[in-house]
Amino acid sequence: MDNLKERVTIYEVAKASGVSLATVSRVINNSSTVKEETKKKVMSVIKKLGYKPSGLAQALATNKTTNIGVIIPSANYVYISNMLNGITEVCKNRGFSVSLYTTAHSREDASVCLERVIKSHVDGVIVFDDELNDEDLEIFSNYSVPVLAINNSINGEKNGSIAFGYEHLFKKIIQDYFIKGDKDITFLHVHNAGRLLRRIENVFIKTSLEADKEYNIMNCDDSYTRTYHDFMEIFKQKRKMYVIAYRDSIAAAVLNAATDSGLSTPDDVEVLSIIGTKYSSIIRPQISAMHIDMQEVGRRAVYMLIDLIEDRLFERQYKFESVYVKRDSTKY
């Protein structure tokens, strides 16, 4: 990325010219309402800074669409689709277009994606990718692109973030089960599931050690079919389990394998889904799960990003706390 030229924004042109954003956009769009002296001053600054107009400059003067880039690991997961619904809903109402960029659960692919976004000259970016760290996201700060990071942190004048609160509630669920429950707990570790799962897994280990309880970590594929077949084999030997699954589809695989193995839920097998969606209440037995309204996350992200673009976001961090919904797959 060293060969990329730092992006100059309309904000910097306006500041250097001593005029408003709207005036800069009128100059760019050759509006007759701008005084010739002002036009010459702004054009001189544009030439000096090497500014290239983006969609925002056009939008300020002509009400044309401003483009927002959205980076996600995949659109195949229900909770991400719910977030995208919230994003597109607000963008449609506010006259914004959306450019979607997907990564493949790797930092290398995510870094390439970042470069593509920067070169596309979007007017702002929403990033929801657990594989990216703070250092990766700092690249946006160097190019003056307003960024709203979801489930991640980012520092900078043009940056904001949305955090997810899972750890405190999850710890309480585990602590309560240690008191009331009668089964060993197995945490399903999904490879490349991201930092959120690793954070929750660390809470599970720490809470178990604090309670002087043995803990079990089991590697699991992010696949319903393979998880189902794995647990069909496991239930031939082990007939009592409490399983913590990352998502509803993995939880459903465990529950269906238990049922097909002649086991009862929740008497023999209990299952908790960390990221619950609408499928938690559709699947039978219904799945106990932790929930965050991801559609509302998407809406909030766009509103915050718009405020960042317009330089009026005063609260740069927002946190969504999860809630626990107990259903049929657990006793408590």
Side-chain angles (χ1 to χ4, degrees), residues 23-51:
T23 298
V24 176
S25 70
R26 292 190 190 102
V27 171
I28 292 169
N29 288 280
N30 200 28
S31 172
S32 60
T33 61
V34 183
K35 295 180 179 179
E36 190 63 29
E37 181 182 352
T38 302
K39 185 180 296 185
K40 288 180 179 179
K41 180 170 64 172
V42 172
M43 290 304 296
S44 175
V45 171
I46 287 175
K47 184 177 180 180
K48 179 180 178 181
L49 297 180
Y51 172 67

Side-chain angles (χ1 to χ4, degrees), residues 58-73:
Q58 308 294 328
L60 287 169
T62 65
N63 290 324
K64 291 182 180 178
T65 301
T66 299
N67 190 24
I68 289 177
V70 179
I71 299 176
I72 57 173

Side-chain angles (χ1 to χ4, degrees), residues 6 17 57 73 86 134 151-152 172 183 194 218 225:
E6 181 174 345
S17 303
D134 298 352
N151 192 36
N152 220 323
K172 186 177 184 306
K183 304 176 185 70
M218 175 182 163
T225 301

Side-chain angles (χ1 to χ4, degrees), residues 162-220:
I162 291 177
F164 292 159
Y166 278 96
E167 289 91 333
H168 179 74
L169 178 58
F170 179 69
K171 181 174 183 176
K172 186 177 184 306
I173 293 170
I174 299 303
Q175 287 175 329
D176 288 347
Y177 191 80
F178 283 151
I179 296 172
K180 304 174 184 176
D182 59 353
K183 304 176 185 70
D184 292 335
I185 303 178
T186 296
F187 189 101
L188 300 186
H189 173 87
V190 178
H191 183 59
N192 279 340
R195 292 188 298 161
L196 175 60
L197 181 62
R198 291 197 293 271
R199 279 168 24 207
I200 296 173
E201 183 176 322
N202 289 336
V203 171
F204 171 67
I205 294 172
K206 184 177 180 180
T207 304
S208 299
L209 293 174
E210 290 173 349
D212 197 25
K213 299 283 187 179
E214 291 187 6
Y215 62 88
N216 302 309
I217 306 291
M218 175 182 163
N219 289 325
C220 172

Side-chain angles (χ1 to χ4, degrees), residues 245-265:
Y246 185 36
R247 297 187 293 106
D248 290 345
S249 61
I250 304 300
V254 177
L255 289 174
N256 288 341
T259 299
D260 293 346
S261 298
L263 301 176
S264 172
T265 303

Side-chain angles (χ1 to χ4, degrees), residues 65-83:
T65 301
T66 299
N67 190 24
I68 289 177
V70 179
I71 299 176
I72 57 173
S74 172
N76 293 331
Y77 301 116
V78 174
Y79 67 99
I80 294 181
S81 297
N82 290 343
M83 183 188 71

Side-chain angles (χ1 to χ4, degrees), residues 183 235 239 241 254 258 263-271 329:
K183 304 176 185 70
F235 289 141
R239 311 292 284 181
M241 292 185 73
V254 177
L263 301 176
S264 172
T265 303
D267 293 332
D268 298 320
V269 175
E270 299 181 67
V271 180
S329 67

